[in-house]
Amino acid sequence: MPGVGTLLGLAAVIAGCLIARTLGATFMRRPLSYLGRNTLPIYVQHVILIAAIYTALGALVPSGLRGASALIAPPIAALAAVAVSLAFASVAAKVPILQYAFETPRWFAGNLVPLDPRASSTLR
């Protein structure tokens, strides 16, 4: 039916906002705020890590994931990918050559010009 996908997507966005608002008032506020401030390392690495996890699972479980394991594997893979991403970012921040994995080098950032002239001058 035309429009059903759009309506369901809109309902999902509203539900996500309401859930986020509710979780923001609980003990989950600090961990979720931390994740929100550190999305770049997760975004950059998660696809590679999830692919690696599923490749390893495919080698360990040749018949494939079935039943309950097929239901619990995706959230476990996602949690593992987030944990490894954050751990690597923490290590990368302390190793001089790796620090540029998630940070713009100063020599390059100094040459960036904001697209909007009213934008903050923090890039200069």
Side-chain angles (χ1 to χ4, degrees):
M1 295 179 64
V4 172
T6 302
L7 288 175
L8 288 175
L10 183 60
V13 168
I14 292 170
C17 290
L18 292 172
I19 290 169
R21 176 83 172 149
T22 302
L23 288 175
T26 67
F27 69 95
M28 292 296 294
R29 179 184 182 133
R30 295 186 94 196
L32 292 175
S33 293
Y34 177 80
L35 284 176
R37 287 189 309 272
N38 294 286
T39 56
L40 179 63
I42 297 167
Y43 175 76
V44 169
Q45 300 175 77
H46 81 281
V47 172
I48 296 167
L49 292 171
I50 289 175
I53 290 167
Y54 274 93
T55 300
L57 282 175
L60 296 173
V61 185
S63 63
L65 298 174
R66 295 198 175 123
S69 62
L71 293 175
I72 61 171
I76 290 173
L79 288 173
V82 168
V84 170
S85 296
L86 292 174
F88 179 76
S90 176
V91 170
K94 297 173 185 150
V95 177
I97 193 69
L98 293 178
Q99 71 186 8
Y100 297 117
F102 308 110
E103 176 181 311
T104 306
R106 280 189 222 120
W107 60 267
F108 183 77
N111 296 325
L112 293 177
V113 177
L115 295 175
D116 183 359
R118 299 175 305 239
S120 171
S121 61
T122 57
L123 294 176
R124 295 181 186 207

